[in-house]
Amino acid sequence: MLKAKTRWQLADYDEQLAAALAVECGLTPLVSKLLVIRGIDSPQKARDFLQAGPELFYDPFLLDGMEQSVHRIRQAIEKKEPICIYGDYDADGVSSTSFMVHLLRQMGAVFDYYIPNRFTEGYGLHKDALAHLHEKGYKLVVTVDTGISAVEQVEYANQLGLEIIVTDHHEPPAVIPEAFAVINPKKPSCSYPFDMLAGVGVAFKLGHALLGEAPLHLADLAAVGTIADLVPLVDENRILARVGLKRLNQTRNVGLQALIRVCGLADSELSAGHVGFALGPRLNASGRLETAESAVKLLTTEDLDEAEQCAQALDDLNRERQELVQTMTEEAIQMVREHYPPDEHRVLVVAKEGWNVGVVGIVASRLVEQFYRPTIVLGIDPVKGTAKGSARSIAGFDLYEALTECKEWLPHYGGHTMAAGMTLPTENLDPLRQRLNELAKEWLTADDFTPLTKVDVAMDIQEVSLDAAEQLEQLAPYGMGNPTPLVMLEDVESVGMRTIGRDDNHLKCSLQKQGTTVDAIGFNWAHVTKKVTPKAKFRVLGELSVNEWNGNRKPQLTIRDMSVPHQQLFDWRGSRDKWEKWLQLVEEPASWTVVFREESYASFTAKALPEQSNSVLYVGAADMKDPFPALQTVILYDLPKRRSELTAILAQVRQAERIYCLFGDPDLGMERLSCPGREHFKQLYQFLVQVPVVPQIHLDALAKRLKWKRSLLDGMIAIFMELGLLAEEPDQYRLQNPGEKRPLESSLLYQAWKEEAELATELLLSSSEDLIRTFHQLVETATI
């Protein structure tokens, strides 16, 4: 048995609809199923999803507030009125601001931009900033990626005589700001067909309306912000990401070119993953640690040298951010283990002075990965007596709802189901932690604390083909709302399993079933090679793709999770380095060693450290009625003498994941494992008839004469004594009742010896397959 890392939840889908789409659109069954799972319910929608071209953009004037916004901005451009772009410091805000810079520059506007400082101002519109802009002579402010909640700030701007056009995508509050115009597809009065645009997506629609055509030459910026902001990559977001990635791979933006080079991706075909894990974090880094100024300069400059300097500065900041995150994460993990152990806390709330509030969200995500608990990480400001932080959740725990239940301790909070931010007085941390844990006890079950993985399709290995893998590429780009498809293969064997990579961290193998073979690779899965047997039957979860090498294209599965649903038996019989192997195995969690023989147990007490011998069971002194602890690994160190002993153990450990057979080494008196036959007893008896009295000092000579080992002779003498045929006298043995017949089977010693020998033969001389079959039969028939 090998447990999967996560719980797998297989998606439901309409099989008839999937079959119809496959026929109508010429798709493989796999792709048609994936489309149905993603909500595609007609051939036309399937074609639109797969093609996702700019011709499918909606009319931007369907957005409420667009017409008056376009009129006002054009008026300002014509009259040379200065326009201020008011943005945000994250990757979406930076991309939105940069997009508007390029757009207004193209239209000949007089303009500048303003992005608040995360540390001194915080998110959103600020009265001081608006007053400053008014003093500088601005009359029109266009927000991007912000402003929808700025009711008081917009009212203040109105009093100053500033006109505000809000473009935003965040959830609107109950009261909308009284701005000159508000463009937000989520606004209740807006009937726009798609309401999940990123901030840069809304800016793109404004650009579309201002230019009279989609600004595809700026789609690279739109793609970066859209992907980095983790909005669902469906509908118009999918179009922006797809068109934008194509543009990004041929970008003329010197800043993006420099950033791509700094990331080491100049020779790569850029994907959504590269944006999410390379470009986006660097654009975010400046706003997290300093200001977003260098990020906007990078994306808007036309000077090659300045672009290189900004890109390098962002890369340096990102490296500093990574080091900072690592340090804070280590401190937070230590704090959790020392003060808030996960087995006692279902929600983790950690806070510390000096923690950078710009990266607490990343640290919270790391703690969720480590402990799989809803987590809040906060930086404490000792001067203000406040804690400011971010939260990340797990499936089943609605974070926003939970924080709402705790609003009496949270003067400022916001967010959604899986992520949130908040500021609170430090004295409220303990009651907040206590209440959140109470809610978690009410809302979550034990299963909820095992990560959940949503699986798209269970495939037969024969369905895995190059055609299916190639068609899958049409579903990209992948991201939120359109995750990379995960397929499941069941009851497959691994062929040629080996470790690869500089540090042998990765797994390479072929998966096989009924003559069909598929290549597979598992990054950071090398540890599995030590936990599975050659004949193990796997359930494998992975991503199907095309692997091209030396001009050959083949389907390949990238392993994301795997399990062996049955108990595994490891045939390590007769290992020369038995003690070293045992030492390795006892390092595994929940391992237990079973020793059947007194001499083996004596060796443990002589060699093992106390902490090693704590999990050793000597069967000869154990009460088998006592239940075993929860086990992963059981080590059968030596051979059992009785079948009943083995079945009793197997009855107790039927839930163990792995059983290791270490028995069979020659230091356990192997001569005892072959029971003498009747001819041996006849030969010894005939000698005793001739020599009725045998001095004990002559037993070695007698064994040598009979060509037996001394232990064999001693065992047979003990059986004759039990049968009343020999009597032990001082320093000698004497034959008794000569001529009287006693059946061997009436000797309990003989029966035990014979059973021991037969069991040893069965366990030691059988093939690995027969050994596994024997154990499985014993497990099935064993009863506690």
Side-chain angles (χ1 to χ4, degrees):
M1 188 179 298
L2 176 71
K3 289 185 178 179
K5 291 183 177 181
T6 63
R7 290 178 292 138
W8 301 359
Q9 184 181 78
L10 194 61
D12 293 325
Y13 62 91
D14 187 326
E15 295 185 14
Q16 291 183 342
L17 178 57
L21 284 185
V23 173
E24 287 280 343
C25 301
L27 302 172
T28 62
L30 172 61
V31 172
S32 64
K33 292 173 185 176
L34 292 171
L35 288 173
V36 171
I37 291 169
R38 281 152 179 72
I40 308 300
D41 58 6
S42 72
Q44 187 57 50
K45 287 182 180 180
R47 296 185 187 99
D48 290 346
F49 184 90
L50 295 174
Q51 294 169 3
E55 69 279 359
L56 297 176
F57 279 129
Y58 301 119
D59 182 351
F61 288 99
L62 294 175
L63 280 161
D64 186 55
M66 182 64 76
E67 189 169 348
Q68 53 266 50
S69 297
V70 168
H71 176 76
R72 181 65 184 89
I73 293 171
R74 284 178 176 169
Q75 182 184 62
I77 294 173
E78 290 171 4
K79 294 182 177 181
K80 299 299 180 181
E81 291 181 26
I83 304 170
C84 183
I85 308 162
Y86 196 113
D88 186 28
Y89 37 69
D90 67 0
D92 186 18
V94 165
S95 301
S96 304
T97 303
S98 302
F99 177 93
M100 290 300 297
V101 167
H102 284 283
L103 180 70
L104 294 182
R105 184 185 290 165
Q106 176 184 344
M107 298 183 71
V110 177
F111 69 94
D112 203 346
Y113 63 87
Y114 183 90
I115 296 180
N117 185 293
R118 179 193 293 266
F119 303 98
T120 60
E121 296 175 280
Y123 172 79
L125 287 171
H126 299 277
K127 292 181 180 179
D128 290 345
L130 293 171
H132 173 70
L133 295 176
H134 178 258
E135 290 173 2
K136 292 189 68 173
Y138 288 99
K139 293 184 179 179
L140 179 61
V141 175
V142 180
T143 76
V144 287
D145 193 33
T146 190
I148 193 63
S149 299
V151 176
E152 294 182 9
Q153 293 83 351
V154 169
E155 176 60 30
Y156 177 72
N158 292 338
Q159 294 172 6
L160 293 175
L162 275 175
E163 292 181 312
I164 308 292
I165 294 176
V166 173
T167 75
D168 201 353
H169 72 117
H170 295 99
E171 292 293 335
V175 179
I176 305 296
E178 293 289 338
F180 177 86
V182 176
I183 303 174
N184 185 333
K186 291 186 174 71
K187 198 170 61 170
S189 60
C190 184
S191 58
Y192 194 70
F194 182 63
D195 67 353
M196 290 185 283
L197 291 167
V200 73
V202 179
F204 186 90
K205 302 306 295 186
L206 178 59
H208 190 167
L210 283 167
L211 296 179
E213 62 181 4
L216 299 180
H217 59 296
L218 300 177
D220 44 10
L221 290 173
V224 169
T226 296
I227 295 169
D229 206 50
L230 301 180
V231 292
L233 294 187
V234 298
D235 209 292
E236 279 195 312
N237 288 340
R238 174 172 170 78
I239 302 170
L240 281 172
R242 194 168 186 219
V243 172
L245 283 172
K246 184 177 181 181
R247 176 77 183 182
L248 187 62
N249 278 285
Q250 303 170 347
T251 186
R252 297 181 181 180
N253 184 304
V254 295
L256 284 174
Q257 290 174 353
L259 187 61
I260 291 167
R261 285 193 294 273
V262 161
C263 294
L265 299 173
D267 298 323
S268 301
E269 180 73 18
L270 298 176
S271 66
H274 292 122
V275 174
F277 295 102
L279 306 185
R282 286 168 173 81
L283 292 175
N284 269 319
S286 62
R288 291 186 185 280
L289 300 185
E290 296 179 352
T291 70
E293 183 67 24
S294 56
V296 177
K297 277 187 177 180
L298 171 74
L299 298 181
T300 58
T301 186
E302 296 178 346
D303 182 88
L304 294 176
D305 291 337
E306 184 177 41
E308 291 293 338
Q309 292 172 5
C310 289
Q312 189 58 55
L314 290 182
D315 191 57
D316 292 342
L317 282 172
N318 188 58
R319 193 172 296 110
E320 181 182 342
R321 188 269 306 167
Q322 290 172 327
E323 293 172 356
L324 179 62
V325 167
Q326 182 63 28
T327 299
M328 287 174 56
T329 300
E330 291 172 357
E331 292 175 353
I333 289 174
Q334 182 178 357
M335 188 180 297
V336 168
R337 288 175 172 162
E338 291 181 358
H339 303 290
Y340 313 108
D343 57 345
E344 299 175 11
H345 290 76
R346 294 192 168 199
V347 178
L348 303 177
V349 180
V350 292
K352 185 178 180 181
E353 291 183 18
W355 278 355
N356 188 311
V357 297
V359 297
V360 287
I362 302 175
V363 177
S365 296
R366 296 282 180 86
L367 263 63
V368 172
E369 293 173 5
Q370 177 78 17
F371 300 110
Y372 203 67
R373 298 283 189 279
T375 300
I376 301 177
V377 179
L378 308 104
I380 294 176
D381 184 335
V383 177
K384 296 181 180 179
T386 59
K388 183 177 182 180
S390 293
R392 299 292 184 269
S393 194
I394 63 176
F397 192 78
D398 189 320
L399 197 52
Y400 185 79
E401 183 180 349
L403 293 178
T404 301
E405 290 280 341
C406 303
K407 61 184 178 182
E408 62 182 291
W409 299 292
L410 293 168
H412 303 288
Y413 74 95
H416 51 78
T417 302
M418 299 300 291
M422 73 288 296
T423 302
L424 66 155
T426 53
E427 60 266 23
N428 290 358
L429 286 173
D430 285 339
L432 174 66
R433 181 183 297 112
Q434 181 178 345
R435 180 57 181 148
L436 286 173
N437 273 281
E438 290 172 355
L439 292 172
K441 289 180 180 178
E442 296 174 13
W443 296 355
L444 298 175
T445 66
D447 286 343
D448 289 323
F449 294 102
T450 299
L452 179 67
T453 299
K454 294 185 177 181
V455 185
D456 290 283
V457 176
M459 296 182 69
D460 190 287
I461 195 169
Q462 294 177 339
E463 297 178 284
V464 179
S465 65
L466 180 60
D467 189 25
E470 288 176 337
Q471 277 201 10
L472 272 180
E473 296 175 347
Q474 298 180 52
L475 272 66
Y478 300 118
M480 293 292 291
N482 182 36
T484 303
L486 288 177
V487 301
M488 180 176 67
L489 300 180
E490 295 189 275
D491 201 31
V492 295
E493 292 186 1
S494 172
V495 180
M497 183 176 284
R498 65 189 188 278
T499 59
I500 60 173
R502 181 187 303 175
D503 299 318
D504 285 332
N505 289 336
H506 311 310
L507 169 69
K508 181 72 175 176
C509 65
S510 294
L511 301 176
Q512 178 177 283
K513 183 180 180 181
Q514 297 176 348
T516 301
T517 302
V518 175
D519 291 341
I521 187 168
F523 296 104
N524 296 314
W525 277 92
H527 62 281
V528 168
T529 58
K530 299 178 181 179
K531 296 184 177 181
V532 295
T533 61
K535 295 298 182 180
K537 301 288 187 179
F538 291 90
R539 297 171 71 233
V540 181
L541 191 64
E543 300 172 8
L544 183 62
S545 61
V546 176
N547 181 38
E548 188 166 356
W549 179 255
N550 289 336
N552 294 322
R553 291 170 60 83
K554 297 174 64 178
Q556 176 178 269
L557 194 74
T558 300
I559 298 170
R560 295 303 178 208
D561 203 356
M562 62 195 316
S563 70
V564 177
H566 59 83
Q567 189 178 72
Q568 296 184 91
L569 185 73
F570 290 78
D571 184 2
W572 286 10
R573 292 173 293 179
S575 299
R576 293 182 178 179
D577 53 349
K578 177 175 179 175
W579 183 253
E580 291 300 321
K581 283 185 175 291
W582 179 79
L583 289 176
Q584 295 174 14
L585 290 174
V586 294
E587 293 178 357
E588 294 287 329
S591 66
W592 203 268
T593 302
V594 177
V595 180
F596 295 95
R597 296 171 180 269
E598 183 178 358
E599 58 269 33
S600 297
Y601 188 65
S603 73
F604 272 99
T605 57
K607 295 165 65 176
L609 297 174
E611 60 267 23
Q612 294 170 333
S613 58
N614 284 341
S615 58
V616 174
L617 172 74
Y618 174 39
V619 174
D623 183 358
M624 295 310 297
K625 294 181 181 180
D626 293 337
F628 265 48
L631 295 175
Q632 292 181 9
T633 301
V634 175
I635 308 163
L636 302 183
Y637 192 82
D638 58 3
L639 281 165
K641 295 183 178 182
R642 304 283 183 272
R643 185 177 295 270
S644 59
E645 293 176 341
L646 180 58
T647 54
I649 290 295
L650 295 179
Q652 291 276 12
V653 302
R654 63 171 69 246
Q655 299 303 320
E657 296 181 16
R658 294 174 292 277
I659 297 178
Y660 289 83
C661 295
L662 275 181
F663 50 70
D665 55 338
D667 61 345
L668 294 178
M670 296 296 288
E671 66 277 3
R672 282 284 299 168
L673 306 181
S674 177
C675 182
R678 291 182 178 275
E679 64 277 5
H680 293 84
F681 286 98
K682 181 178 180 181
Q683 187 177 359
L684 176 59
Y685 188 77
Q686 289 175 345
F687 175 83
L688 292 172
V689 170
Q690 297 175 6
V691 184
V693 178
V694 180
Q696 293 181 2
I697 60 172
H698 293 162
L699 290 179
D700 283 337
L702 176 58
K704 186 176 182 180
R705 176 179 175 177
L706 296 172
K707 298 181 180 180
W708 297 343
K709 289 188 176 182
R710 172 63 185 271
S711 58
L712 182 69
L713 176 60
D714 289 341
M716 295 174 66
I717 288 174
I719 291 172
F720 277 179
M721 290 174 60
E722 181 190 9
L723 294 174
L725 300 177
L726 271 181
E728 184 176 10
E729 300 176 350
D731 302 324
Q732 64 184 15
Y733 293 103
R734 181 183 298 277
L735 181 66
Q736 290 192 132
N737 305 314
E740 185 175 338
K741 293 185 177 181
R742 300 284 178 86
L744 275 175
E745 287 74 12
S746 64
S747 166
L748 296 178
L749 291 176
Y750 175 75
Q751 293 177 23
W753 194 347
K754 183 178 180 182
E755 180 184 359
E756 181 181 1
E758 290 175 349
L759 184 60
T761 299
E762 184 177 5
L763 296 180
L764 290 180
L765 302 184
S766 59
S767 65
S768 292
E769 290 77 8
D770 287 340
L771 181 68
I772 293 171
R773 190 177 300 111
T774 296
F775 268 69
H776 284 172
Q777 290 172 351
L778 290 173
V779 169
E780 290 175 2
T781 58
T783 56
I784 297 178

